[in-house]
Amino acid sequence: MNSLPEIEAAIMQLSEGEIRDLSNWLQEYLNDAWDKQIEADAKLGRLDQLIQRAKADIEANRVKPLDEILNNP
């Protein structure tokens, strides 16, 4: 099974429970990949500018509490 169409065909043969298990596994895989990318970016200094901007916004009081943003439709 080396191609996307083959994988898709195989998935269609799975039970609903197996598809849910696969979906959960795939989400965990993607979460882990995201975490590794963030860690690598942080080590390489790619987030430094964003961090400095966030700190400057906090110091200048240009931020709102998260609950205010989430509870204000």
Side-chain angles (χ1 to χ4, degrees):
M1 198 175 326
N2 294 323
S3 70
L4 184 56
E6 290 174 319
I7 294 168
E8 289 171 344
I11 290 171
M12 286 188 236
Q13 301 303 312
L14 298 175
S15 69
E16 183 177 336
E18 290 171 320
I19 292 172
R20 290 183 191 281
D21 290 344
L22 175 60
S23 177
N24 290 335
W25 176 86
L26 186 56
Q27 188 60 59
E28 284 297 317
Y29 177 84
L30 293 172
N31 290 346
D32 290 344
W34 174 258
D35 289 345
K36 289 175 185 172
Q37 183 64 55
I38 292 293
E39 289 175 16
D41 287 347
K43 285 180 183 176
L44 293 172
R46 292 181 179 151
L47 303 177
D48 292 352
Q49 186 177 7
L50 292 173
I51 292 168
Q52 291 305 318
R53 190 166 72 184
K55 287 180 179 179
D57 286 344
I58 291 168
E59 288 179 18
N61 201 29
R62 291 187 300 256
V63 295
K64 293 182 180 181
L66 186 57
D67 61 338
E68 180 181 325
I69 294 168
L70 294 176
N71 295 324
N72 191 7

